[in-house]
Amino acid sequence: MKYEKCCFCDKPFVKPDFGCNPYPIMTKGRCCSWCDNVLVTMVRLLPKVGLNEAQSITVRSFIRAMCISHREGEQMNQKWQKEMMRKAESK
């Protein structure tokens, strides 16, 4: 099985899944389902909501912060899993 990383959070996903289309945030790469559902879908809906420019910038900043938070959470989860594996091997 081949893995590809999400273009937003670097979370690996299985290549046969092919990931999701990150447009309009990015034009290259693929993203995981979480980033697609939370980030990309929100950005796609922004023009339909009718926000003014200041509101749109605020929402985009919030979305970017969510992406960073998700990435950090995934990194903490991976560290925890490695630590648990190391403890299990040492027993």
Side-chain angles (χ1 to χ4, degrees), residues 6-85:
C6 174
C7 59
F8 296 114
C9 68
D10 294 329
K11 178 181 175 183
F13 57 87
V14 179
K15 181 106 171 150
D17 179 32
F18 294 116
C20 303
N21 182 1
Y23 183 82
I25 300 172
M26 296 183 82
T27 57
K28 294 182 180 179
R30 306 299 286 174
C31 64
C32 67
S33 297
W34 187 91
C35 288
D36 181 56
N37 292 331
V38 175
L39 305 174
V40 178
T41 302
M42 288 178 85
V43 171
R44 286 180 183 156
L45 293 175
L46 283 178
K48 294 176 177 61
V49 175
L51 299 177
N52 65 34
E53 188 62 29
Q55 292 169 324
S56 180
I57 290 170
T58 302
V59 171
R60 288 177 192 269
S61 298
F62 173 72
I63 291 169
R64 196 170 14 260
M66 286 179 66
C67 182
I68 291 168
S69 165
H70 175 61
R71 180 183 300 147
E72 289 173 353
E74 286 296 320
Q75 289 171 348
M76 288 174 50
N77 187 28
Q78 289 173 0
K79 286 179 185 177
W80 179 81
Q81 287 177 351
K82 287 178 184 176
E83 184 179 327
M84 292 297 112
M85 291 294 288

